[in-house]
Amino acid sequence: MRLLTTLLACAMLLITSPTRAADKLTVLLDWFVNPDHGPLIVAQELGLYGQQGLEVELIAPADPNDPPKLVAAGKAEIAVSYQPQLHLQVAEGLPLVRFGTLVATPLNTLTVLADGPIKSLADLKGRKIGFSVAGTEEATLNAMLRTVGLTTADVELVNVNFSLSPSLISGQVDAVIGAYRNFELNQMDIVGRPGRAFYVEEHGVPPFDQLIYVTHRDLSSDPRLARFLDATERAVQFMVNHPDKAWALFVKNHPEVDDELNRRAWRDTLPRFALRPAALDVRRYERMATFLKDAGLVKSTPPVESYAITVR
């Protein structure tokens, strides 16, 4: 009788106890949904966030400059951002820390027309070069030009306002800095005007993480961050093992990206996703900090642990 009473009491407790709500996280993307965000979308579609007790909302920004600022202001927990920009934002006083990596190699390039007159960086002397983002892109270009004895004073810079491949194809400029090897190069090839890329990390720029996850410094020890990275790590493993199934999941609720350009970008981005998103390469951050300081974009190189962490 006593055993029966105990079992009934336990059953009533299970019935009346509320189900534990998932912990919410808002993630601000750096741009509209595209293959760069593959692990986030696949983790969501596979239910991997839910398995970690998380309810993750992914939001594309109206202005790509806003996500880190909104996280710094406490309006969201996570932003997808860029390693070089993180150094500048921290120097400006934003309370941000990197806690994970999304794309672990540079994507940006200096691109010219494959059938054009520019065969080497030295051929850029006296030419027009289009750019979109002042500061880091100019520093990148200057470093690349220095490898052949030139500087930005030897070229004409033209702000093409993110119209990179169209301005190159139309002849408005002779080269563009900041074109992504997984996107603009495919875009140019599809329209029959293939490009030739000079990879920044092969011409004077230290390797860096193109896309990273940043959060507010006050959330550095938040346990949700480690669970978020665990889910995205499992998503990357699934993508590597099952690229076609992962693509089907990616476009399932995003039909606007189901086209030839994004299929090619998916293929080219896949090997660049961080297999260990929580891993931190301290030397990589030290080198980039030194590079930006030498370029005059930051005044000092603070300890890496003050703006880049590993979570547990």
Side-chain angles (χ1 to χ4, degrees), residues 190-248:
I190 288 171
V191 299
R193 297 300 304 276
R196 175 187 294 112
F198 297 93
Y199 301 115
V200 298
E201 69 275 21
E202 295 179 0
H203 297 279
V205 180
F208 58 91
D209 298 334
Q210 185 73 55
L211 289 176
I212 59 175
Y213 303 112
V214 299
T215 190
H216 195 288
R217 187 183 300 130
D218 291 347
L219 297 179
S220 296
S221 59
D222 192 316
R224 292 176 297 176
L225 302 181
R227 287 148 54 196
F228 170 80
L229 292 182
D230 285 346
T232 56
E233 180 177 0
R234 289 182 60 194
V236 173
Q237 296 293 340
F238 182 88
M239 293 165 66
V240 171
N241 292 335
H242 310 284
D244 293 336
K245 291 181 180 179
W247 168 255

Side-chain angles (χ1 to χ4, degrees), residues 57-260:
E57 182 181 14
L58 305 177
I59 299 177
D63 183 336
N65 295 310
D66 286 345
K69 298 175 185 176
L70 292 172
V71 167
K75 303 298 184 181
E77 289 81 24
I78 297 171
V80 174
S81 192
Y82 313 86
Q83 183 193 334
Q85 273 65 36
L86 173 64
H87 294 271
L88 303 184
Q89 291 156 356
V90 170
E92 293 169 0
L94 293 185
L96 297 172
V97 292
R98 168 269 178 212
F99 72 94
T101 302
L102 175 55
V103 175
T105 76
L107 293 177
N108 59 334
T109 67
L110 187 149
T111 294
V112 300
L113 290 173
D115 60 358
I118 299 171
K119 308 302 180 184
S120 72
L121 291 177
D123 296 330
L124 289 170
K125 186 173 183 178
R127 302 284 185 171
K128 294 180 180 179
I129 301 180
F131 73 98
S132 300
V133 181
T136 54
E137 286 188 357
E138 292 177 80
T140 297
L141 176 60
N142 206 37
M144 298 179 76
L145 292 174
R146 280 203 307 269
T147 64
V148 292
L150 301 176
T151 70
T152 51
D154 295 304
V155 300
E156 181 181 347
L157 294 177
V158 179
N159 190 334
V160 297
N161 194 27
F162 295 104
S163 182
L164 294 169
S165 52
S167 65
L168 181 57
I169 292 170
S170 67
Q172 179 185 352
V173 294
D174 303 294
V176 290
I177 184 70
Y180 274 19
R181 62 196 70 178
N182 62 338
F183 189 81
E184 273 83 8
L185 284 177
N186 283 312
Q187 190 177 48
M188 294 173 69
D189 188 62
I190 288 171
V191 299
R193 297 300 304 276
R196 175 187 294 112
F198 297 93
Y199 301 115
V200 298
E201 69 275 21
E202 295 179 0
H203 297 279
V205 180
F208 58 91
D209 298 334
Q210 185 73 55
L211 289 176
I212 59 175
Y213 303 112
V214 299
T215 190
H216 195 288
R217 187 183 300 130
D218 291 347
L219 297 179
S220 296
S221 59
D222 192 316
R224 292 176 297 176
L225 302 181
R227 287 148 54 196
F228 170 80
L229 292 182
D230 285 346
T232 56
E233 180 177 0
R234 289 182 60 194
V236 173
Q237 296 293 340
F238 182 88
M239 293 165 66
V240 171
N241 292 335
H242 310 284
D244 293 336
K245 291 181 180 179
W247 168 255
L249 289 171
F250 178 70
V251 299
K252 178 182 175 183
N253 291 311
H254 298 280
E256 72 278 5
V257 298
D258 191 5
D259 57 26
E260 178 64 18

